[in-house]
Structure formats: structure tokens, C-alpha cells
Amino acid sequence: MVGQERDDLLTQSLLLDEIGQSVIGMDSKWRVTYWNRASERLYGFRAAEVLGMTPQDLGIVMNLQAVGNGLTGEEIAELISHGHDWAGELWIRDRNGRQFPVHATISPIRGRHTVPVDIVAISKDITDRKRQEAVLRRLSAMVESSGDAIIGADMNGKITIWNAGAISMFGWNRPEAMGKTHDLFTTADSENLDHRVAGRIRSGAFVTGVEARWRRKDGSIIDVELTVSPVYGQDGKLAGASAIARDITEIKALRAEADAERRRLLAAQEMAQVGSIEYSADDTATWHSEEFGRIVGAKGDDSLSRAWMLERTHPEDRDRVGQVWRSLHAGAGYADIEYRIIRSDGGQRWLHSRIRTVYGPDGLPLQFLDTVLDVTERKDTEQVLQWQARHDALTGLPNRYLVTEVLQGFLDRGSRPAVMFIDIDRFKLVNDGIGHRGGDRILMLLGERLMEAVREGDTVARFGGDEFVIVCENLGVRAAKVLAARIRERLRAPFEVEDRQLFLNVSVGISLAGPKETAESMLGGADTAMYRAKSAGGNASVVYHARMTQRASGRLDLESDLRLALDRDELCLYYQPIMDLEAGVPLGFEELLRWQHPAHGLLMPDRFVPIAEETGLIVPIGSWLLKETLNQVQQWRRDLAEGPDLTAAVNISGRQLVAEDFPDIVETAIRETGIDPSAVNLEITETVLMDEPDLPKETLQRLYRMGVGLSIDDFGTGYSSLSYLKWLSARTLKIDRTFVQELAADPRAGTVIELVLGMANSLKLDVVAEGVETESQLRELRRLGVTQAQGFIWSKPIPAEQVPAFLSTFPALKKPQAPAH
């Protein structure tokens, strides 16, 4: 019986040995009594070495701790001692110290046997299984954490796998997706693709790099790249398919942009003239592109060495190029330089060279890679642009930038330059009369004459518009005045333009260098002096001095204050009577604007009206003035016994007259004040009319139809023709005060007045003489036949509140009372 039990144990051990399982028999004290061949292979100990030793003695188990249920070695021994079996996983160590997992079953031998075995431990190395499980866990984690969508489906197309990446990419959660088909996210565009992919999967083939357009839960469409593989079951049959989908929407957009950029670069490279050459450290050329040879004009037998290139470098650039190569040999890793070469055919080319050093193992330069771009056209263009940036396009003269640079150069060198600022008088009238083309021709001819008038070495520049500047080195005030007079004399000869002879006058401002002078300050001074000459009537030269700047500063302050004057009620009106010389009574009043300045007191119009004209403030001021005057005169016409027939003369500017809404403003003022339109005369100076040759005909016709009169003020100072006066539908001519004041001293003044009267009679116009101050002037005007006049002899301009008292001194104005009924 004992022999049979031993045979059974050996037989079982041999069977387990064949399948690679370790069988260890131990007595009740855990001493080894049996050790099969599988144990020898697993732990590295022969049976003869282990008999009588415990696993602890062999070092197989150290600090035994079961995996999973957490039992310690002592707890397992306790369990066995009470007759129980234990099975689980343990970490074991072999003879060489390698640790590995095993699955073990430890059982007590129940009953009594002659075999000296109380405990049997059967174990199997599960390292491979553990590795596979770890791989599977990692794969599972990778699938779940992948940013790509991983989707599995069975043979019926129903979704079996839907990872977190799929949730994020498409928006459906797992319950929403599982069990659905790919119709959930595919589009009609991808139907044909679906059939082709399905066909390849059924044939057992993998599908990679396929692109499709799939739909998200929110309805948006994304581009995806697919990798689809077949999935087989345990029976080896095709069970479904697995797809990895990557969102390439942004990549496709970038790819499209890159493709477009690549096409642009290819086109640019075709147009660019780029060559390459490689030099060895000993300066011989080891290779060059055909384009490089063409750029430098090399022939077939040319060496193209560094020395060859340096010899053909432009002499002015040779030292600079040599210095670059010396720095490269000294260790500079990179160089960027532009220089010129002279080709064998004599042509000159500009090269942009970028050189990179290649170092050898010893750290010394081994090779130089030179990429050369032919930039001749760019350089030529730059030179043209530089010239254009510093010269006037019309006349070819230096422009504001260049003349400023020249002037500052003189100042920096300590010389004493002079600046002349020249402006054509009344050029707008000339330009409007002959057209812009003719005006441009005049500017060109004027530039040529200025060049002829100045000294050699002087700089003539066009500053802009009809303004020219002359910069002269070391020129004193007397010589500057002589040069200015010579310039004006040279320009006095007629200009032949558009089959016409035109005569020009110029205003010249002169600025001389002082201490701490700058180009800007000298140009500003000359400009200020030129405007002083122009404001004095033009055709003159004025030398700048500091007081002009002070006046200009004061003028700037006035401009700032004027912008607020209307809102602050600082503007006021004075009135001067227009007298009937035959009856000796006032016919009406001319409005005269005044400014009650808070700091400067009462200012006359010549102090601020030009400012208002230049800034455009004259338009709102003029509208206020018109309504205020008509309202005041209508009040006198209505309330005063002497006032029913009074007329109102209102001064207007050219800016107002050319404004499209001016007739509407006049009509509104007449309607709101209730005045008879025939009592209204709008006065504009003859000079302003000449400066506005393109008066809107519709405006004049509307004013005429309203019954409003137009008076030409300061008549005789301009160049009005009879036809022009008739076209204007003027009602009154006002003879300029200069002719009246010269009546006693200059007999020709009377002749002019007679001519004006004759012209006015032929056109059925009224005539008013201005500026009458003496009895002798009044007698002469009456002798000449003038019937209307105004001046200090009757009254200076007076405020509105003094007019009733003034009118009361003329009893003849009073209308008889209507009889009572």
C-alpha cells in the first residue's frame, strides 16, 4: 500500500513536471523532502542541494507576502497547519536573485502516509501571463486616454467600443453611441468610402491613411484620418473591425495654407536670381551653381576662386568684402553683405551674399557656403526711390526733405546760410483760369527761372504747391535783398502757357541764420516773413525778425479765443449809415462786425476776420451776423417813425457765398425776421469775387428771385468786367475809399469815379462812395454825380442802441401818421 501511494505521488509529480509546474514536498516543519525537475529549472537548485532545507533557507521566499488577499507567510502557515488549502500568487526569487511571480497551491497531506510529505506546494511561473496582463492594461489605458477616437464595431456594424477620445471628438457619450451603427457620425459624402473600406476589411486587409468627413453631435463637420483594421474572434473568424480616427481639420487647413505658400515660394524662386558657391578653406571653389556663374558673368574656364571674385569686386567695395572674409577665417560663423561686381562684359551687378562657415573636427573653418542673390533691380529701384523721396516729382527740384537736410548741414558746419521762401501771389486765380495742367507748366517754368537767377551752389527747392525755397550759403542781409530783387525781376517777364501770356508777382520772405538756429526755425521764419509780404499786398520782399513770431503767436492765441467768442457772446455789431446825398437823409445801415475781447478790448475786423476766413469760422459767424443784422434793422423799420424804409447792408464772405446751403440760410433769416427781401443787400468785396471765379450760378439766381440785392464792395481794387457784373446780377457798386480820399490830391481819382458812374448807369446799378470824411470830398462827389455815400462826415459806426437817437436828428424821415377813422 505504501509503495502504491509513493507511486501515485511520483506519477502525479511527473505529470506536473511535464507541463512545467514545480512540485515541492515538505514535512511539517517546512523542510523539503521532495523536489522535482521542474523545481530545479524554476529555482536553479538541484534536488540534492535542497533536501532538508526550508524555502526560507534557500532564499526562495523572503518576507513572504501573498498577492491579492494580502496574507503574510505566517498567516499562510497557520492556515495550512489547521488543515486548509491555500492558492494564490506569490513573488519568488530564484538562485540568481531574479524575482518573478508564480501561481501556487499549498495543501496539507491529510491522513497518514508512509511518504515523508506533510505539505505539497505546486507552483507555476506566471511571468509571461503577468506581462501580457500588464500589456493589456497599458493598451486599455492607452485606448481610453488616447486623444484619437477609437471605435470598434461587430460584423453587423454595431458599435462595441467608444473610448473617451471618441466622446470628446464627436460629442456622443458611451450610452448614446454603443449599439448604434456608423450612420451615427458618417455623412453622405463618405458612403462610397464606407463600402470600399468594408470590402477591404472583409478581405482581411488593413486600411490606413484614409481621409473622411464625419459629423459631430452638434452638426458640425470635421475632417478625420482613419486607420481601420479587422478584428478576429477566438475561433479565428472575422468578428468586426476597429478604427482609429484622428481629427485633422486644423491640419488640413494648415496643409492647404502650406500648399498655397509652397506654390508662392516656387513661383518666387522661379523669378528670383539666386546662385550658390562653396569654397574650401584654401579659397578654391569646389562647386558652384549654373545660376551663380550666370550672375557673375563667368566663362567656362574661369576658376571662380575667392581671389577671382575679389578681383571683379567694385573698387569701392573691395576693402569691405576683404574684411568680411578675414573675419570668417578668424572664426566668424556667419556674414551678410551687399556689394557690386564688374562683369567681364562691363556690366555692373549688385549682389547680396550670405556666407556660412562649416567647421572641421579640429574646430577650424573647413568650408564656406555662399548663397548669392542678384539684387541689382532692387538697388536700382532703391536709388530711384531715394531720389524721388528727396526731389519734387513735377519740377525735379529738391523737395522739403532734401532742402531741410542741406540747410541743417550748413548750420552744422558753422556757415551763415540765408533762406528765401517764395510764394506766387494769387496763384489760385491763375490755376483756375488756365487749368491744373497749365498751372503745373507755370510751376516748372518758374523753377527754371529761379535756377537761372541764383548763384552757383545755391539750392532751389519746391516746398509744396506754389511755394519755393532757396538756400544760400554765407549770404548777408544786403546780398539777400539784392538776390530777392533779382528773382522778382526775372519772374516779371511773361510766362508763355497754353497760347497765353501770363504775368506773375511773388512774395519773398528772407530769413538769416542767427545763434542757435535750426533748419526748421529758419524755414519757419522765412515762411512768416513771406506771409507778411503777402498780407501787405504781395510783390514784395520782407526780412524776418523775431517780432513777427511774436505776432504770429499772438495771432494763434486770437484764433483759439475766436473759436469760443460766438458762444461767449463776445461778438457785437456796429452800424454806419448810408446817406442819400440829394435828400440828406439815411437810406439804411451797413453792419460792421466787432469783437469785444476780454483781454484786448474792442477789436476791429482786420484783426480777426482774416483768421475766421482761414479757419472756416467765418461760416457760423456769418450766419449769426446775417440773422442778427436783419432782425435789428427790421426792428427799427417796425418800431421807429424814421425807420420804415431803412435798408440793411450785410457783409458776407466768399466761403459763405459758395456754400450750397447759403440761399437756404438767407431765406430762413428773412422769413424769421419778417424783413422785406428788397431791403436786404449782401455785400462782398470785388477782390473776394475775383478769388472765387466759380460762383454757383444757382445760388445767385435764387438770391435774385428772392429779391435780395448784391453789392460789390471796395469796387475798383479788382479786375471786374462789365459782363461779369451783369452775370452776377449785382444791384450796387461801392467805390473804394482810396479813390474818395485822393479826390483833392489826385485828379485821376475823379476820372476813375466818373468811369465807375458811367459803367453803373449803363448797367442800371446804384453807386455808393465809401470813406467820405471832409466837406471838400463831399462837394466833389456831388459834382461828379454820386448820389449815395457813407463815411465819418456823417457818423462813425455806432452800436445799435445809439441808432434811434441818430435817426431822430432827421425829421424828414418821419412818415405822416395815418388819419384816424
Side-chain angles (χ1 to χ4, degrees):
M1 183 69 180
V2 173
Q4 183 179 353
E5 290 179 351
R6 179 181 297 274
D7 290 341
D8 290 342
L9 180 61
L10 290 174
T11 299
Q12 293 175 9
S13 174
L14 290 173
L15 289 173
L16 292 174
D17 192 36
E18 289 299 321
I19 62 174
Q21 293 196 17
S22 165
V23 179
I24 302 174
M26 292 169 285
D27 62 15
S28 61
K29 297 186 180 297
W30 296 86
R31 291 175 297 199
V32 176
T33 58
Y34 180 77
W35 188 269
N36 72 342
R37 289 195 300 273
S39 300
E40 292 181 350
R41 292 192 297 271
L42 185 62
Y43 297 107
F45 296 100
R46 296 192 309 275
E49 295 178 285
V50 300
L51 294 177
M53 299 182 70
T54 67
Q56 285 83 357
D57 296 337
L58 295 173
I60 294 174
V61 293
M62 297 292 293
N63 299 321
L64 185 65
Q65 178 74 41
V67 178
N69 60 13
L71 295 179
T72 64
E74 291 78 4
E75 290 172 335
I76 293 173
E78 181 69 19
L79 191 68
I80 297 300
S81 67
H82 285 81
H84 299 289
D85 298 336
W86 178 87
E89 296 179 2
L90 297 171
W91 277 93
I92 302 298
R93 181 179 301 159
D94 65 10
R95 185 170 194 165
N96 296 321
R98 179 180 70 91
Q99 293 185 359
F100 55 93
V102 297
H103 186 277
T105 300
I106 304 175
S107 303
I109 300 298
R110 298 175 180 84
R112 299 195 56 80
H113 304 283
T114 58
V115 180
V117 175
D118 295 306
I119 300 169
V120 175
I122 301 173
S123 58
K124 179 178 177 59
D125 187 349
I126 59 172
T127 301
D128 291 340
R129 194 190 81 190
K130 285 292 185 180
R131 184 179 297 114
Q132 291 174 358
E133 289 176 353
V135 169
L136 288 174
R137 284 195 300 273
R138 287 196 297 271
L139 287 174
S140 177
M142 290 171 61
V143 167
E144 193 59 29
S145 63
S146 173
D148 296 334
I150 299 178
I151 304 168
D154 60 19
M155 292 301 294
N156 296 320
K158 293 184 177 181
I159 296 171
T160 57
I161 298 174
W162 187 264
N163 75 331
I167 297 171
S168 175
M169 188 177 298
F170 296 105
W172 287 284
N173 58 33
R174 283 192 181 87
E176 291 173 319
M178 298 293 282
K180 303 293 194 305
T181 68
H182 60 71
D183 292 337
L184 180 68
F185 48 79
T186 56
T187 63
D189 294 341
S190 57
E191 287 182 0
N192 186 44
L193 173 66
D194 294 342
H195 291 310
R196 287 188 285 113
V197 170
R200 295 187 63 183
I201 292 299
R202 289 192 188 96
S203 67
F206 286 81
V207 180
T208 60
V210 176
E211 293 184 5
R213 291 177 62 77
W214 283 358
R215 181 178 61 252
R216 301 179 75 253
K217 184 177 181 179
D218 61 9
S220 60
I221 303 297
I222 61 173
D223 293 293
V224 295
E225 183 180 65
L226 302 175
T227 299
V228 187
S229 57
V231 175
Y232 297 94
Q234 293 182 355
D235 56 2
K237 294 181 179 181
L238 184 66
S242 174
I244 300 175
R246 175 165 295 173
D247 186 349
I248 59 169
T249 306
E250 184 175 353
I251 293 174
K252 287 201 71 172
L254 292 174
R255 189 185 301 158
E257 183 179 344
D259 288 343
E261 182 65 22
R262 189 181 302 111
R263 289 192 295 271
R264 288 194 292 269
L265 288 175
L266 288 173
Q269 288 176 356
E270 289 178 3
M271 298 172 62
Q273 298 171 320
V274 180
S276 300
I277 186 168
E278 299 176 3
Y279 296 106
S280 61
D282 60 1
D283 294 343
T284 58
T286 58
W287 174 87
H288 70 273
S289 66
E290 292 182 6
E291 183 65 13
F292 181 86
R294 190 200 64 77
I295 290 173
V296 300
K299 298 177 182 178
D301 56 348
D302 287 330
S303 67
L304 294 184
S305 64
R306 268 250 325 280
W308 185 91
M309 282 293 295
L310 198 58
E311 182 181 347
R312 283 155 180 78
T313 301
H314 194 285
E316 295 179 4
D317 302 332
R318 197 169 293 159
D319 289 343
R320 190 160 49 90
V321 173
Q323 178 59 40
V324 166
W325 280 108
R326 285 191 292 273
S327 68
L328 288 167
H329 275 285
Y334 179 80
D336 194 313
I337 184 174
E338 290 187 353
Y339 60 97
R340 291 161 289 178
I341 63 163
I342 309 298
R343 293 162 41 122
S344 57
D345 59 5
Q348 176 179 293
R349 308 300 294 177
W350 272 97
L351 306 184
H352 186 152
S353 183
R354 291 181 176 177
I355 310 168
R356 183 168 61 86
T357 305
V358 178
Y359 296 97
D362 56 0
L364 298 175
L366 178 66
Q367 194 177 30
F368 301 102
L369 308 180
D370 189 0
T371 302
V372 173
L373 175 65
D374 188 338
V375 294
T376 305
E377 292 184 3
R378 174 172 66 80
K379 281 292 185 178
D380 291 343
T381 302
E382 286 178 357
Q383 290 176 355
V384 171
L385 292 176
Q386 287 176 359
W387 188 92
Q388 291 176 344
R390 298 157 69 87
H391 291 79
D392 174 53
L394 177 64
T395 63
L397 296 173
N399 61 8
R400 178 192 300 253
Y401 174 82
L402 182 52
V403 77
T404 303
E405 187 178 81
V406 170
L407 178 55
Q408 190 61 52
F410 286 154
L411 293 169
D412 293 342
R413 291 196 297 272
S415 64
R416 307 281 290 179
V419 176
M420 295 187 182
F421 213 109
I422 301 167
D423 186 86
I424 303 174
D425 296 335
R426 300 168 61 82
F427 184 67
K428 183 178 184 300
L429 177 62
V430 175
N431 211 23
D432 292 340
I434 62 176
H436 290 292
R437 180 178 176 183
D440 289 346
R441 179 61 181 161
I442 282 183
L443 294 174
M444 294 168 65
L445 293 174
L446 189 142
E448 293 173 2
R449 291 198 191 180
L450 291 176
M451 290 290 292
E452 296 168 358
V454 300
R455 309 172 306 170
E456 184 177 355
D458 293 341
T459 301
V460 178
R462 183 183 176 207
F463 216 60
D466 61 329
E467 297 176 334
F468 291 79
V469 168
I470 299 175
V471 175
C472 309
E473 188 174 14
N474 296 322
L475 195 69
V477 62
R478 181 175 298 177
K481 289 180 178 180
V482 171
L483 178 56
R486 185 165 71 245
I487 289 171
R488 288 169 49 217
E489 182 63 30
R490 183 63 62 91
L491 300 181
R492 194 164 286 133
F495 289 80
E496 302 284 346
V497 178
E498 304 288 337
D499 298 325
R500 299 171 65 177
Q501 282 193 338
L502 298 172
F503 295 86
L504 299 180
N505 292 327
V506 296
S507 297
V508 182
I510 302 170
S511 176
L512 303 173
K516 298 182 180 179
E517 202 76 72
T518 65
E520 291 296 334
S521 66
M522 288 194 69
L523 288 167
D527 185 39
T528 300
M530 180 273 293
Y531 274 106
R532 177 57 58 86
K534 189 176 285 291
S535 64
N539 192 27
S541 302
V542 173
V543 178
Y544 170 79
H545 53 78
R547 290 192 300 276
M548 294 180 183
T549 299
Q550 294 171 359
R551 292 193 187 101
S553 177
R555 187 181 184 281
L556 185 61
D557 293 339
L558 277 182
E559 179 182 325
S560 300
D561 293 343
L562 185 58
R563 295 182 182 276
L564 303 173
L566 195 60
D567 293 335
R568 293 175 175 175
D569 293 327
E570 294 173 0
L571 299 180
C572 56
L573 299 178
Y574 277 52
Y575 298 88
Q576 187 175 43
I578 301 172
M579 304 297 295
D580 182 339
L581 299 187
E582 295 178 352
V585 296
L587 295 172
F589 288 87
E590 177 186 0
E591 148 279 319
L592 296 167
L593 182 63
R594 300 289 186 268
W595 180 9
Q596 189 65 50
H597 192 280
H600 302 296
L602 191 66
L603 300 182
M604 297 295 105
D606 60 340
R607 288 286 303 277
F608 63 90
V609 168
I611 299 174
E613 291 276 3
E614 292 178 18
T615 59
L617 292 172
I618 195 65
V619 175
I621 290 175
S623 297
W624 170 84
L625 182 153
L626 173 68
K627 186 174 180 180
E628 188 74 12
T629 301
L630 298 189
N631 187 63
Q632 181 62 74
V633 173
Q634 176 61 11
Q635 182 179 337
W636 293 331
R637 287 166 59 91
R638 183 183 63 245
D639 297 342
L640 300 180
E642 301 88 357
D645 297 325
L646 291 177
T647 61
V650 183
N651 291 286
I652 62 172
S653 72
R655 280 179 177 258
Q656 290 176 273
L657 194 58
V658 299
E660 292 184 3
D661 61 345
F662 182 64
D664 297 328
I665 293 173
V666 174
E667 188 173 22
T668 300
I670 290 173
R671 183 178 63 253
E672 291 180 354
T673 58
I675 195 169
D676 186 345
S678 64
V680 179
N681 286 301
L682 304 179
E683 292 196 3
I684 189 165
T685 65
E686 183 183 26
T687 303
V688 170
L689 285 176
M690 294 303 97
D691 288 338
E692 298 290 349
D694 298 324
L695 293 174
K697 190 173 183 178
E698 176 60 28
T699 294
L700 298 172
Q701 290 176 344
R702 281 191 60 187
L703 293 174
Y704 180 77
R705 289 195 297 269
M706 275 186 233
V708 173
L710 185 66
S711 296
I712 312 302
D713 200 5
D714 298 338
F715 190 77
T717 58
Y719 305 93
S720 298
S721 65
L722 291 175
S723 60
Y724 192 61
L725 292 174
K726 186 175 181 181
W727 179 81
L728 286 171
S729 302
R731 179 188 290 175
T732 306
L733 300 181
K734 301 189 77 171
I735 300 173
D736 187 65
R737 66 182 63 249
T738 56
F739 299 108
V740 174
Q741 291 170 353
E742 293 175 359
L743 276 177
D746 188 354
R748 290 177 295 180
T751 303
V752 172
I753 293 175
E754 284 182 311
L755 290 173
V756 173
L757 287 170
M759 181 173 61
N761 289 332
S762 66
L763 296 174
K764 296 182 173 55
L765 301 177
D766 293 332
V767 175
V768 178
E770 296 183 292
V772 183
E773 297 181 357
T774 66
E775 288 293 340
S776 61
Q777 292 171 352
L778 180 57
R779 284 195 301 271
E780 188 63 18
L781 290 172
R782 283 174 170 160
R783 185 189 69 78
L784 293 172
V786 176
T787 59
Q788 298 180 31
Q790 64 185 94
F792 287 179
I793 191 173
W794 293 285
S795 173
K796 293 182 178 182
I798 57 177
E801 58 268 20
Q802 296 180 16
V803 169
F806 173 78
L807 291 175
S808 67
T809 62
F810 298 93
L813 285 176
K814 293 184 179 180
K815 296 288 184 179
Q817 294 285 337
H821 295 286

